[in-house]
């Protein structure tokens, strides 16, 4: 069991294959933190490593004692106002107006495996020996409230998950005003904070900043995890690179408003915390009620960012994502959005499907515009019945016809929204997120349905399940195209209005839960105006997500590279689209567009009927190539080699290596051509040094150690004589 407890020293030691996480019960009963980092051999006590002494000009807990102060002690789940002056992990407001609490260790239990988090997405085990869980009860006897901290140690996968549950055993009401999922005090501040930030169409760009004293944070207040900041944060040493050095990564399994922050205190201790954004949040806990925080996944790596990413990839791909599609090769799809937008009918759709089938596409996805009177984005959301003008023979018939071609059929929904111009809004104007007597702002002409109301979720479930039962649908793209404003629910009392944003997300999860259970054969792809809700919470239900509305091959290098910091390649929807590109107007070759999109859940999003015969031939080959290699790409280990975020950033390269290291797929991309570039080499990663590899299309063979240490000279396969912008190479390696 990778969890040790020593009764005499009251120390806990959580140990994975490569990491140790150690904390203890302090003399006043609160939990103190001792160590998180590289694995330490287990011993009875680690306390001699941590010696405290009196510090000047502070506040102390015990009368007559100038040493014991929470101001200088690292905390496990810190409280504010009792000698710790940093921001706390939680705050509980009491009926008398006090926010002072004293939660002390009560007891703990250790079990094999992992319990479910009721109503929330979370990592899981398939057999009990995969992980062990520690649950610690902290209790404040004054208010009769318990906090149950939960830790799961995935020893082999090298990750630890944490969450907290607040339980009101008392008679009086309390308010949970802040409830972070985890807090970690690291003993120094020699770190850079790494975040994934951006905006619509440039999601999850990697940004680094050096820590300074005070608070530095990222957050969402938009109702979704957002394109602006991803619910992830890493602290890396300044010298840490992709392949060496220390890094701590935290990733929140949540899709709503979050906060991730680091507070560097006056002794250079870095307090890292992540959880639901406390701004605009409050949870009323009546007698007997409880509140569960989302789960956070903690990963420490002493071997650079890439190894942290591989840990997240493995855990998320195999023990966060679920269902029949989790381990299956993803189908090559075509989506009609950029081909037609709203302007289509069944004839056009069938033509597109037929033409793409001839090229090898396996799944046809009918995007926005198939329901109500949806000729533009001003109408019909909420009216999930097929539009008989566009589909006179019905949606079911169209799906059957497409099945008849030998293709699967997929459909777009935006379940959480309603248009003002719709039958649903006419019937239920009270079913939207809003506050009384205030105007409602809109986004893309639409309003957000109040998913905190059970009847709203039930109603949408009924409509969607009806469509999914009627038509042979094997894929659903679940979109969400606006952020929330004027957040409130007409069905909740005044003292529960700050619960709405979280209750909304719980409603979304419950609908996903029901639909994925009822239609287990359906592959769900999450989407939010591109990648505005691309997070671990969604990944639990939808094993792939639409990475970004930006389909330009050059832009996608940064987006996919950044996304890969946390999310597996199999989770990133990546499509070849038309040129000039619809988002940035750039012209790139069909080859480069595919070479980028191969490193994701691959598909096309253009009008194939408009392509020349030569282009169709190329597409046919691309699809055949992807099918042959998709298990390697989707399930292999991903190594980033050259970063588009580097100072020059002109080159990007990465390689996917199969688990057994017998096969690898390199992607190399150069944005602008260079005159007289000299000899360029790629240094492979992750190969087996002892294996001899053949590179497709070449007679020579190379050993893994040669390709990794001496590198592969690219001009062997690409002449420098006719350079062009936006060039790329994909190379397949196979052990001979
Ligand atoms: C936003 C999505 O990201 C697009 O792919 C497309 O589905 C549109 N919405 C449709 O409205």
């Amino acid at each position: 069991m990778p969890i040790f407890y020593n009764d005499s020293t009251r120390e806990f030691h959580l140990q994975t294959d490569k990491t140790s996480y150690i904390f203890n019960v302090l003399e006043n009963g609160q939990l103190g933190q001792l160590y998180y980092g590289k694995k330490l051999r287990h011993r009875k006590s680690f306390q001699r490593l941590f010696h405290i002494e009196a510090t000047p000009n502070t506040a102390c807990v015990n009368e007559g004692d100038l040493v014991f102060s929470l101001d200088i002690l690292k905390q496990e789940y810190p409280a504010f106002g009792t000698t710790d002056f940093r921001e706390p992990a939680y705050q509980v407001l009491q009926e008398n107006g006090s926010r002072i609490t004293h939660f002390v260790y009560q007891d703990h239990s250790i079990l094999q495996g992992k319990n479910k988090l009721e109503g929330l997405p979370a990592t899981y085990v398939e057999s009990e020996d995969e992980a062990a869980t520690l649950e610690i009860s902290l209790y404040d006897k004054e208010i009769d409230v318990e906090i149950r901290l939960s830790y799961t140690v995935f020893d082999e996968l090298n990750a630890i998950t944490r969450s907290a549950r607040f339980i009101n055993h008392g008679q009086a009401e309390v308010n949970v005003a802040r409830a972070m999922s985890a807090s970690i005090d690291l003993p120094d501040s020699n770190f850079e904070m790494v975040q994934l930030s951006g905006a619509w169409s440039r999601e999850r760009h990697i940004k680094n900043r050096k820590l300074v004293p005070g608070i530095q944070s990222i957050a969402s207040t938009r109702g979704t995890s957002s394109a602006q900041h991803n619910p992830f944060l890493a602290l890396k040493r300044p010298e840490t690179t992709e392949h060496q050095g220390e890094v701590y990564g935290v990733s929140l399994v949540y899709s709503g408003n979050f906060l991730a922050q680091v507070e560097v205190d006056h002794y250079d201790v870095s307090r890292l915390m992540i959880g639901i954004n406390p701004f605009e949040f409050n949870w009323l806990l009546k007698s007997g009620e409880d509140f569960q925080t989302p789960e956070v996944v903690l990963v420490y790596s002493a071997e650079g960012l890439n190894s942290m990413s591989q840990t997240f990839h493995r855990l998320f791909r195999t023990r966060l994502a679920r269902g029949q599609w989790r381990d299956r090769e993803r189908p090559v799809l075509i989506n009609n959005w950029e081909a037609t937008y709203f302007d289509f009918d069944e004839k056009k759709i069938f033509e597109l499907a037929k033409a793409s089938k001839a090229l090898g596409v396996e799944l046809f996805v009918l995007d926005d515009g198939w329901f109500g009177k949806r000729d533009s984005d001003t109408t019909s959301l909420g009216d999930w019945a097929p539009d008989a003008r566009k589909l006179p023979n019905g949606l079911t018939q169209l799906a059957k016809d497409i099945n008849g071609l030998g293709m699967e059929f997929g459909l777009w929904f935006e379940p959480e929204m309603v248009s003002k111009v719709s039958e649903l809004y006419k019937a239920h104007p009270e079913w939207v997120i809003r506050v009384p007597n205030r105007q409602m702002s809109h986004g893309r002409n639409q309003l957000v349905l109040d998913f905190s109301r059970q009847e709203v979720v039930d109603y949408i479930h009924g409509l969607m399940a009806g469509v999914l039962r009627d038509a042979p649908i094997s894929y659903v793209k679940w979109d969400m195209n606006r952020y929330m404003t004027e957040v409130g629910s007409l069905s909740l009392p005044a003292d529960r209005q700050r619960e709405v944003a979280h209750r909304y997300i719980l409603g979304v999860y419950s609908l996903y839960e029901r639909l994925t259970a009822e239609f287990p054969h359906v592959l769900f792809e999450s989407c939010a105006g591109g990648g505005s809700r691309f997070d671990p919470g969604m990944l639990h239900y939808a094993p792939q997500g639409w990475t970004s509305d930006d389909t330009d091959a050059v832009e996608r290098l940064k987006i996919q590279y950044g996304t890969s910091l946390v999310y597996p390649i199999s989770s990133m929807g990546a499509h070849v689209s038309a040129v000039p590109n619809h988002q940035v107007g750039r012209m790139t070759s069909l080859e480069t567009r595919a070479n980028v999109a191969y490193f994701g859940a691959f598909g096309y999003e253009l009008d194939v009927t408009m392509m020349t015969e030569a282009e169709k031939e190329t597409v046919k080959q691309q699809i055949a190539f992807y099918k042959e290699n998709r298990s390697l790409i989707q399930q292999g280990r991903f190594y980033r080699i050259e970063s588009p975020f580097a100072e020059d950033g002109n080159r990007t390269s990465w390689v996917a290596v199969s688990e057994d290291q017998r096969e690898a797929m390199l992607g190399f991309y150069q944005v602008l051509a260079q005159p007289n570039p000299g000899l360029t080499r790629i240094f492979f990663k992750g190969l087996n040094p002892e294996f001899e590899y053949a590179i497709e299309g070449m007679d020579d063979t190379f050993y893994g150690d040669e390709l990794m240490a001496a590198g592969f000279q690219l001009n062997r396969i690409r002449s420098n004589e006719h350079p062009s912008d936006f060039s790329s190479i994909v190379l397949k390696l196979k052990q001979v």
Side-chain angles (χ1 to χ4, degrees), residues 200 335 337-338 341-342 367-369 374 377 412 414 444 477 479-481 527-531 546 548-549 605:
W200 174 80
N335 178 305
W337 180 241
E338 284 200 19
Y341 295 103
F342 295 106
D367 209 278
D368 194 355
R374 181 91 166 158
D377 62 17
W412 179 96
E414 195 176 0
R444 209 194 188 200
K477 179 175 172 187
D479 205 348
M480 197 282 185
N481 280 292
C527 174
W546 183 222
S548 174
D549 272 344
E605 187 157 340

Side-chain angles (χ1 to χ4, degrees), residues 38 51 114 167 218 317 327 350 499 506 573 640 698:
K38 219 176 195 162
H51 174 72
K114 184 175 195 281
I167 309 162
I218 52 167
R317 193 166 55 74
D327 303 328
F350 191 70
E499 297 175 11
L506 295 179
R640 294 179 294 266
M698 286 186 76

